[in-house]
Amino acid sequence: MNMFSSLMLASLSVLTLPIMSSILNTHKNSTYPHHVKNIISYAFITSLIPTMMFIHSGQETIISNWHWMTIQTLKLSLSFKLDYFSMIFVPVALFVTWSIMEFSLWYMHSDPYITRFFKYLLTFLITMMILVTANNLFQLFIGWEGVGIMSFLLIGWWYGRTDANTAALQAILYNRIGDIGFIMAMAWFLFNANTWDLQQIFMLDPNLTNLPLLGLLLAATGKSAQFGLHPWLPSAMEGPTPVSALLHSSTMVVAGVFLLIRFHPLMENNKTIQSLTLCLGAITTLFTAICALTQNDIKKIIAFSTSSQLGLMIVTIGINQPYLAFLHICTHAFFKAMLFMCSGSIIHSLNDEQDIRKMGGLFNAMPFTTTSLIIGSLALTGMPFLTGFYSKDLIIETANTSYTNAWALLMTLIATSLTAVYSTRIIFFALLGQPRFLPLTTINENNPFLINSIKRLLIGSIFAGFFISNNIYPTTIPEMTMPIYMKLTALTVTILGFTLALELSLITQNLKLEHPTNMFKFSNLLGYYPTIMHRLPPLASLSMGQKSASLLLDSIWLENILPKSISQFQMKTSILISTQKGQIKLYFLSFLITLTLSMLLFNLHE
Amino acid sequence: MSLVHINIFLAFTVSLVGLLMYRSHLMSSLLCLEGMMLSLFVMATMVVLNTHFTLASMMPIILLVFAACEAALGLSLLVMVSNTYGVDHVQNLNLLQC
């Protein structure tokens, strides 16, 4: 009997303390954000102990506490599943959140509602933890919806801005479409497996799992911004930078991937769904990488980068490697959050300037931010032996040596080189060259909150991959032998991307500005997807509704078919054929005289 | 022909002359139409009852029904004329308008 479950529950429940302190009104004072940050750091350290116990002994736990209700034959209880995935994700998420909270102490310093901001961030973290440690689908759905709601509240943080409100609404709508798939999967499991518990579903191992897995794939498409339901992620950059760093890079958007990873025992038997996942991920990763090439807002480029990496994770699930996808989730959190924090530092220093065409020359002015931005970009592109290498290179190698769809593989490789291209673009435009911002600058990165938080994630970006990879137990065996050209594929395409981008940027820097080509317009306007899909389907459905309901039923069937058509017809024909002048008395009189004469004639003629 | 029959036949003829010769109101011709219908009804009923021709005793009732319909039609025409002109003088019906 060890302290595994107690420590884990303690670390999760200590997160709820600041929320409950709002009852006592201690959340009105100005040290509340510091308390929140400290509590998250304590929760992180406390959760390290069960994780180390897990790594040492491989002990997985399911904590089933409170029997909530029984609905005929379905038993719903509060149960936490502390297995490989949750035990490693919880410390990573808490570490990244700790750094982001410290960063937002600097970033949101002048915001009058900073305590509410921290409360929202903490509520988001709690719902994310519920999602990750859920053992039944109902609890997972609670966490799922919770992160959706907190995302809405946080994206629309500056609600005076119209774009922020539409972006928050867009996030909710696209997530809702994914929730339809989730509920369909829940309904299928209720009918066919009589349960929402993951253990029972995996034990029963149902045969025809196409429908629920399609539902789960739709849910992942909505939550993780895959192609078709992706426009909400770049629009979500309207929220403050800590929100983008926490929700839309490390934690919330990986919820969809996490759901598919949780269901990997069902997915590994269903080849159709795997191919579908693979193609969806490949389309997403290539499309969003293309869109990232010509964006001018630094946060949007990083958002598209997130979307592209999510597509890569979905591709990994599609080649039946859930553990590699999970490793990529954990390593991606470090450098993506750090990239967002560096961009936040740049934005604040240049007085809220987000356009990379108006930055430049920050290499000498902000050395610490420059360092972390370059290291983060290198980790993102998979430079050998930084963090991203341990997951990304393994994914590319496994995809190269597996029996998979060649088109999807090609798309993934092209997207990998495009990753290097747009990372070079950020570095070139934001950091190198001569300054393009206004001369009166407020560049200051000397705040200890900023420096410490980025420093922690920097150490994580460099060493976390090595650290995590060496301490987890072996799950699926990676491919050990392959030809040398396959081994070096990822590195080659990345270096190709770097050199190409650098050459192009240097050559075209002094050329005359031309009109944008069609390819440029395609990439800049996000492939025209939001323009088409936000206007055409609503117009079509609304006009179809109007035509069928009011025009067809009311006007035509009830008014026009019998009554009005008869009256029109009669009037037209009577106008057409009448030749009379209306002398009624004359006609009647002549009728009477004719009648009298004929009667006299017939009676008096013998 | 017996006296009763001549009586009713005379009533019918008077109404017919009233239908075909009137001065200005369309309503008087409609009233005479009703009078014709009434005398026809009485004549038919008397003949059927006197000759005990039971099978034909439907005929007056059906005659009544159809007369009601035609009276309604005549009244609607009257209402149309009255809507346009305010009175139902026949000399208004000299313009060919629909």
Side-chain angles (χ1 to χ4, degrees):
Chain A
M1 185 65 194
N2 49 14
M3 302 264 293
F4 190 87
S5 51
S6 323
L7 281 174
M8 200 60 198
L9 277 181
S11 130
L12 287 180
S13 55
V14 87
L15 289 175
T16 61
L17 279 178
I19 305 284
M20 293 197 260
S21 80
S22 66
I23 306 173
L24 306 167
N25 270 340
T26 54
H27 69 295
K28 290 288 197 310
N29 54 2
S30 63
T31 55
Y32 181 81
H34 292 265
H35 291 319
V36 172
K37 173 184 74 89
N38 287 335
I39 286 207
I40 297 201
S41 64
Y42 299 153
F44 163 66
I45 295 175
T46 317
S47 72
L48 269 183
I49 304 175
T51 305
M52 286 196 285
M53 287 200 301
F54 169 76
I55 291 173
H56 173 72
S57 65
Q59 167 192 1
E60 298 188 0
T61 314
I62 295 180
I63 307 174
S64 196
N65 277 343
W66 173 55
H67 176 204
W68 187 29
M69 66 163 91
T70 307
I71 303 177
Q72 293 185 350
T73 53
L74 176 73
K75 176 172 180 243
L76 291 176
S77 56
L78 182 72
S79 67
F80 298 96
K81 182 176 165 101
L82 304 174
D83 67 336
Y84 174 81
F85 298 124
S86 5
M87 291 313 297
I88 297 187
F89 187 76
V90 165
V92 167
L94 285 175
F95 182 73
V96 171
T97 312
W98 176 26
S99 303
I100 291 178
M101 292 254 176
E102 195 165 349
F103 169 78
S104 54
L105 276 175
W106 170 75
Y107 193 82
M108 307 291 289
H109 178 70
S110 57
D111 197 311
Y113 298 113
I114 188 172
T115 51
R116 196 198 294 172
F117 186 75
F118 271 79
K119 203 156 59 151
Y120 283 176
L121 281 184
L122 192 61
T123 317
F124 167 78
L125 184 67
I126 293 172
T127 47
M128 188 70 201
M129 292 293 119
I130 294 177
L131 198 158
V132 163
T133 55
N135 195 21
N136 52 0
L137 279 179
F138 191 68
Q139 202 169 325
L140 213 153
F141 193 62
I142 293 177
W144 187 269
E145 291 296 300
V147 297
I149 290 287
M150 296 324 292
S151 166
F152 170 77
L153 288 174
L154 282 168
I155 294 176
W157 177 253
W158 291 313
Y159 51 81
R161 202 178 135 82
T162 327
D163 284 339
N165 286 334
T166 40
L169 207 57
Q170 212 175 336
I172 286 282
L173 286 176
Y174 277 114
N175 276 343
R176 258 292 169 256
I177 301 179
D179 290 346
I180 298 176
F182 197 104
I183 293 185
M184 180 169 81
M186 276 170 82
W188 192 93
F189 283 126
L190 185 59
F191 281 132
N192 290 58
N194 190 28
T195 180
W196 280 336
D197 285 329
L198 296 180
Q199 275 73 39
Q200 193 170 336
I201 295 175
F202 297 150
M203 222 164 23
L204 286 177
D205 199 15
N207 273 339
L208 301 170
T209 51
N210 271 338
L211 198 61
L213 288 177
L214 266 180
L216 291 176
L217 188 62
L218 183 64
T221 312
K223 192 65 99 179
S224 295
Q226 298 303 300
F227 183 74
L229 299 176
H230 65 279
W232 68 270
L233 192 55
S235 308
M237 297 297 119
E238 294 287 334
T241 308
V243 169
S244 308
L246 185 57
L247 271 74
H248 306 119
S249 64
S250 334
T251 337
M252 179 180 124
V253 291
V254 298
V257 186
F258 197 83
L259 182 71
L260 288 179
I261 290 178
R262 269 268 190 252
F263 276 86
H264 73 90
L266 290 185
M267 283 198 64
E268 64 192 8
N269 295 331
N270 197 333
K271 287 282 177 243
T272 317
I273 299 290
Q274 276 180 14
S275 309
L276 210 63
T277 322
L278 182 69
C279 293
L280 181 69
I283 290 182
T284 306
T285 181
L286 185 64
F287 180 75
T288 49
I290 290 179
C291 287
L293 291 179
T294 54
Q295 298 297 315
N296 290 321
D297 185 351
I298 189 172
K299 282 176 71 172
K300 279 207 168 42
I301 301 182
I302 307 182
F304 277 115
S305 166
T306 307
S307 207
S308 186
Q309 294 302 306
L310 288 171
L312 188 68
M313 292 174 206
I314 302 269
V315 162
T316 321
I317 297 180
I319 55 177
N320 201 12
Q321 299 284 339
Y323 294 96
L324 272 183
F326 179 71
L327 188 64
H328 196 57
I329 288 181
C330 294
T331 54
H332 172 258
F334 286 103
F335 47 79
K336 196 47 69 74
M338 188 173 75
L339 278 177
F340 267 112
M341 281 160 56
C342 295
S343 72
S345 151
I346 294 178
I347 290 171
H348 238 42
S349 296
L350 297 181
N351 201 15
D352 294 336
E353 181 57 61
Q354 284 185 313
D355 197 333
I356 57 175
R357 297 173 291 192
K358 293 193 193 155
M359 305 174 189
L362 292 173
F363 189 82
N364 295 319
M366 302 173 69
F368 183 69
T369 310
T370 311
T371 316
S372 39
L373 193 68
I374 293 184
I375 291 184
S377 300
L378 286 176
L380 171 65
T381 57
M383 166 144 161
F385 308 117
L386 289 183
T387 309
F389 172 76
Y390 287 96
S391 51
K392 198 166 177 186
D393 204 64
L394 276 180
I395 293 175
I396 304 280
E397 276 176 21
T398 318
N400 272 339
T401 54
S402 65
Y403 180 66
T404 177
N405 195 337
W407 173 82
L409 180 62
L410 189 62
M411 297 293 119
T412 316
L413 288 176
I414 297 178
T416 312
S417 81
L418 288 181
T419 309
V421 171
Y422 58 69
S423 298
T424 317
R425 188 164 189 258
I426 294 182
I427 295 176
F428 185 78
F429 276 94
L431 304 177
L432 304 177
Q434 297 296 317
R436 287 185 293 272
F437 44 85
L438 296 172
L440 192 62
T441 53
T442 52
I443 294 182
N444 183 13
E445 53 171 16
N446 277 329
N447 199 311
F449 289 140
L450 176 70
I451 302 268
N452 281 338
S453 50
I454 297 188
K455 204 187 295 182
R456 265 201 298 269
L457 285 184
L458 192 61
I459 308 275
S461 289
I462 301 177
F463 294 116
F466 177 74
F467 199 61
I468 296 181
S469 305
N470 277 344
N471 284 329
I472 54 179
Y473 58 77
T475 49
T476 51
I477 313 238
E479 189 71 34
M480 293 294 178
T481 60
M482 61 190 86
I484 190 156
Y485 58 85
M486 270 195 192
K487 186 90 180 155
L488 296 178
T489 306
L491 196 60
T492 319
V493 295
T494 308
I495 293 181
L496 190 69
F498 270 134
T499 46
L500 199 66
L502 201 58
E503 278 298 311
L504 280 175
S505 302
L506 284 175
I507 289 177
T508 58
Q509 199 180 12
N510 293 325
L511 292 179
K512 190 177 71 161
L513 182 66
E514 294 180 345
H515 292 292
T517 62
N518 280 339
M519 200 59 210
F520 179 86
K521 281 188 268 196
F522 178 83
S523 171
N524 203 15
L525 290 173
L526 313 187
Y528 309 115
Y529 186 90
T531 319
I532 297 177
M533 293 298 281
H534 291 170
R535 297 179 197 190
L536 197 64
L539 177 68
S541 31
L542 284 176
S543 66
M544 188 171 74
Q546 188 208 14
K547 286 198 170 30
S548 72
S550 92
L551 276 181
L552 185 66
L553 283 178
D554 289 343
S555 327
I556 294 185
W557 281 113
L558 294 182
E559 271 185 34
N560 270 343
I561 285 286
L562 284 183
K564 284 221 176 116
S565 70
I566 288 182
S567 69
Q568 289 280 345
F569 180 70
Q570 294 291 346
M571 279 190 12
K572 284 202 173 52
T573 49
S574 65
I575 294 175
L576 196 63
I577 63 177
S578 76
T579 55
Q580 301 166 2
K581 291 198 194 47
Q583 299 162 299
I584 294 188
K585 285 204 311 197
L586 197 67
Y587 303 150
F588 276 169
L589 204 58
S590 62
F591 183 66
L592 183 65
I593 292 179
T594 313
L595 201 63
T596 319
L597 275 181
S598 62
M599 292 249 272
L600 279 176
L601 209 62
F602 280 132
N603 277 343
L604 295 182
H605 177 75
E606 291 300 1
Chain B
M1 221 187 282
S2 65
L3 203 60
V4 182
H5 291 155
I6 290 182
N7 194 358
I8 298 185
F9 181 68
L10 219 58
F12 177 78
T13 317
V14 164
S15 295
L16 178 69
V17 171
L19 173 71
L20 297 178
M21 286 173 65
Y22 57 94
R23 267 198 54 178
S24 53
H25 280 279
L26 200 60
M27 187 63 147
S28 61
S29 128
L30 288 180
L31 282 172
C32 289
L33 198 62
E34 294 303 305
M36 281 168 69
M37 191 285 304
L38 182 65
S39 62
L40 272 180
F41 179 81
V42 170
M43 172 77 98
T45 313
M46 271 185 41
V47 165
V48 162
L49 283 177
N50 273 341
T51 53
H52 297 286
F53 187 14
T54 337
L55 278 180
S57 53
M58 283 189 320
M59 185 248 181
I61 309 239
I62 295 183
L63 176 67
L64 200 63
V65 166
F66 281 119
C69 290
E70 79 184 76
L73 205 60
L75 274 176
S76 63
L77 283 174
L78 187 75
V79 166
M80 281 302 296
V81 173
S82 178
N83 268 350
T84 327
Y85 294 104
V87 288
D88 59 345
H89 292 156
V90 182
Q91 62 253 29
N92 294 332
L93 296 177
N94 54 359
L95 287 177
L96 288 177
Q97 285 195 8
C98 279

